[in-house]
Structures are given as C-alpha cells and as structure tokens.
Amino acid sequence: MHKSLLSSIVSLLIIISFSTPAFAQETLTDSAATTHQDWDFGGTGTINFSQVSLTNWAAGGQSSISVLGITNVFGNYKKGKNTWNNTLDITYGTVKLENQRVRKSDDKLELNLKYGRAASTDWFYTAQMNFRSQLTPTYTNTRDTLLSDFLSPAFVLASLGMDYKPNDKLSVFISPLTGKFTIVKDQELADQGAFGVEKAATNAFGDPIIGTGENFRREFGGFVNVRYKHEILQNVIFQSKIDLFSNYLHNPTNLDINWENLVDFKVNSFLSASLFVHMVYDDDILINIDDNDDGVTDARGPRVQVKQSLGIGLTYKFD
C-alpha cells in the first residue's frame, strides 16, 4: 500500500474522532438545538506498580520493577432515536529487570466509533468502526529485530448491522457486512508476510525481492461483537468483550477471535486492583513453533495467543 493511502487512513481516523461532537450536532439530532446534556463524557486512568527487591537471597531470583498505565475515555451522545458511542483505550507498560535495560511489557491503542438509530426498544440500526494498533516499536530481546510498530500492524473494522441492547449491561452487535483491513506499514515486516499480508515475491533463486511485500490486506465477511459489564459483587466489576470475524472469501469457517476479560476490584476512591485476560486467535497470523524445546524454530503456524496481567494501583475517575 502506498504511503499516501496509509496517511489518508490515519488522518481520517483522527478527523472522525475529533469532529464527532460537531458531526453529531449537525446530523444526529431530531431537533435544531443540541445541548450539552445530550453528551456524556468520562473515563478512568489507572497506574499499576509492581516491585521486587532481593538482597543476598539464597533461593535466587531477580529484582524488578514494572509500571503499567491504563486510560479509558468515552464520549456518548443520545437524543431521540439516535446514539453515538465513542471510546478510546490506551495501555502502556514497562518492566525493568536487574542488570537489564527497560523493556516494554504492554502496548495497546484502540478507538471505537458506533452510531445507532433505534429500530425498536431493544434493536438499533448500527454503523461501527474499530481501529486497533500500538504506540511504539517492539523488538526481540536482543533489540536487533523489529517485531511490530505503530501501524505495523493496525486493524480496521468497518461494519453495518443491528445492535441488540436490552439493558445497560449487554450489547450484541451483529453485522453481515464488514470490511476488515490489515495494515503493515513497515516494509521489512511486510516482506516477511507478517500479520497475514502477502509476503515479498521471490526471484529465480528463491530469494525474496525487497520491497515487494504487500502493506495492505482486505477482507470481507461477517462480524459479531458482544460486550457485557456487570457488578458481580459490591465494588467488583466484570467486563467482557468478544469479537468474532469470518472472512466470506477465504476459509469462512475459520473464525478470527479477539476476547478480552477484565475484573476490577475497587478498594476505595483511589486504590484498586485488576485482573485482565486477553486471548486472540487468527489463522492468518503465524507464530514461531519450537516442537522439541531446543530453542530453535521448527515451523510457523496459527496459535492461540494469551496475555494475562494482575495489578494493584491508583485509579482516578473523571467525568
């Protein structure tokens, strides 16, 4: 994909996210006047800390310190039959092991824009766009090989469908018309065929031709998004989000799965704890496989990816 097209996509996402209030006031109202009461803004910011210090510890181990920052902000509009839900989630973490440089432990950037118009009490005609990427580069432990970067990859989902919202806890969005776009801006990663894009062509000797890997992949299929949030105990909130995508044009029975689960424990106004589990499966993303545990990659293939974090930290809620 050309750089100009990449720049256009990023610019479009930024323009949409920052122009939402004006757009909603001009096109989503049933009356000429829109007041501030139609909007609900808020979010949370959390910083989790973890530290281990060892001195003359006979059992061994390493001293370490880690910091994880999580920001979730939203701007929701509702007037008459129209709703506009916007969320931005940013996560970034670092860890420092004894006698080693600081490393990145987590990195997430996700923007979700969803417009709905009521069809009945519980059903809404809905258009949704989701953008996922990361903020900074990720390297191997030796820092000599790039694994991922901002827009390498980035995933964009654009969907039309129906949203079932029987209450404030549950939302089930069903879209038979969804475009999924994978962006790999870094040419070296694109030449490797990373994250499902078409890898570089080869010459007569079987060597890759540098610069011929695709930076952009298009898919068309069906999409289901389920979101659930419930206070299961006093000051204990459970949130779950699962995305399911089927590519109509290639192996439609192989679902791409993105499942996030979060349990928040609120100790008081500022102190909290959280347990986060994230699972991903995409048969177009190939993982290095070491079948005999000898430290050497034997093959590459799709695998379930799992990330888990447990943290205690400071939380600030803003409205």
Side-chain angles (χ1 to χ4, degrees):
M1 188 176 87
H2 297 294
K3 292 184 178 179
S4 59
L5 182 54
L6 283 171
S7 301
S8 299
I9 291 175
V10 176
S11 300
L12 178 61
L13 291 170
I14 295 173
I15 290 170
I16 290 175
S17 62
F18 282 98
S19 63
T20 296
F23 177 80
Q25 290 181 1
E26 293 174 2
T27 64
L28 303 185
T29 57
D30 289 337
S31 62
T34 300
T35 64
H36 180 69
Q37 284 72 24
D38 299 328
W39 282 93
D40 179 23
F41 296 98
T44 58
T46 302
I47 299 180
N48 292 330
F49 301 93
S50 176
Q51 187 262 342
V52 176
S53 179
L54 303 175
T55 303
N56 300 324
W57 191 252
Q62 283 185 305
S63 299
S64 66
I65 183 170
S66 65
V67 181
L68 178 68
I70 303 172
T71 300
N72 311 109
V73 295
F74 65 84
N76 296 328
Y77 172 89
K78 183 176 183 181
K79 187 175 180 66
K81 293 185 176 182
N82 302 287
T83 61
W84 185 279
N85 302 112
N86 310 278
T87 60
L88 176 64
D89 299 331
I90 299 175
T91 301
Y92 195 84
T94 60
V95 59
K96 173 68 169 68
L97 299 178
E98 185 178 12
N99 300 323
Q100 296 184 24
R101 68 178 68 193
V102 176
R103 298 179 181 177
K104 182 172 65 174
S105 60
D106 205 345
D107 190 353
K108 172 188 172 184
L109 170 65
E110 181 172 356
L111 173 67
N112 196 75
L113 311 175
K114 183 165 70 172
Y115 165 71
R117 182 171 179 84
S120 64
T121 304
D122 299 333
W123 287 91
F124 293 78
Y125 303 110
T126 301
Q128 178 175 271
M129 186 185 71
N130 176 268
F131 170 81
R132 290 186 290 119
S133 188
Q134 62 190 63
L135 298 173
T136 62
T138 304
Y139 296 92
T140 57
N141 292 337
T142 55
R143 294 190 64 83
D144 58 356
T145 303
L146 180 70
L147 297 177
S148 60
D149 198 354
F150 176 64
L151 293 182
S152 296
F155 302 99
V156 179
L157 282 170
S159 308
L160 293 174
M162 297 291 291
D163 195 11
Y164 175 64
K165 296 192 287 188
N167 50 55
D168 293 335
K169 299 177 182 179
L170 177 66
S171 169
V172 181
F173 175 56
I174 303 172
S175 170
L177 302 173
T178 296
K180 180 181 179 181
F181 309 97
T182 302
I183 302 168
V184 180
K185 176 185 174 184
D186 184 84
Q187 191 60 52
E188 184 177 350
L189 291 174
D191 288 344
Q192 298 170 13
F195 307 104
V197 298
E198 189 69 28
K199 64 181 180 180
T202 57
N203 58 25
F205 301 99
D207 300 320
I209 302 174
I210 304 302
T212 59
E214 295 290 335
N215 301 98
F216 192 67
R217 183 183 184 204
R218 303 171 183 84
E219 297 176 78
F220 177 71
F223 175 68
V224 175
N225 168 257
V226 181
R227 294 172 182 260
Y228 181 74
K229 181 178 180 180
H230 180 55
E231 186 173 12
I232 54 179
L233 296 171
Q234 185 175 4
N235 295 328
V236 180
I237 298 176
F238 170 69
Q239 299 182 62
S240 184
K241 179 183 73 172
I242 185 168
D243 297 336
L244 305 173
F245 176 78
S246 171
N247 184 358
Y248 293 151
L249 307 178
H250 179 68
N251 293 332
T253 57
N254 291 348
L255 294 179
D256 296 344
I257 302 172
N258 186 72
W259 190 13
E260 300 178 19
N261 295 279
L262 174 67
V263 181
D264 270 329
F265 306 86
K266 185 177 180 182
V267 180
N268 53 40
S269 299
F270 295 99
L271 187 63
S272 66
S274 63
L275 172 63
F276 178 71
V277 179
H278 187 188
M279 290 177 283
V280 175
Y281 180 81
D282 186 337
D283 65 347
D284 296 312
I285 298 178
L286 305 182
I287 307 298
N288 291 337
I289 301 171
D290 180 7
D291 289 325
N292 52 11
D293 297 324
D294 61 354
V296 178
T297 299
D298 303 309
R300 288 169 58 83
R303 289 291 186 271
V304 176
Q305 306 168 55
V306 181
K307 178 171 65 178
Q308 180 268 328
S309 64
L310 174 64
I312 299 175
L314 302 175
T315 298
Y316 178 72
K317 181 178 181 181
F318 45 93
D319 299 311

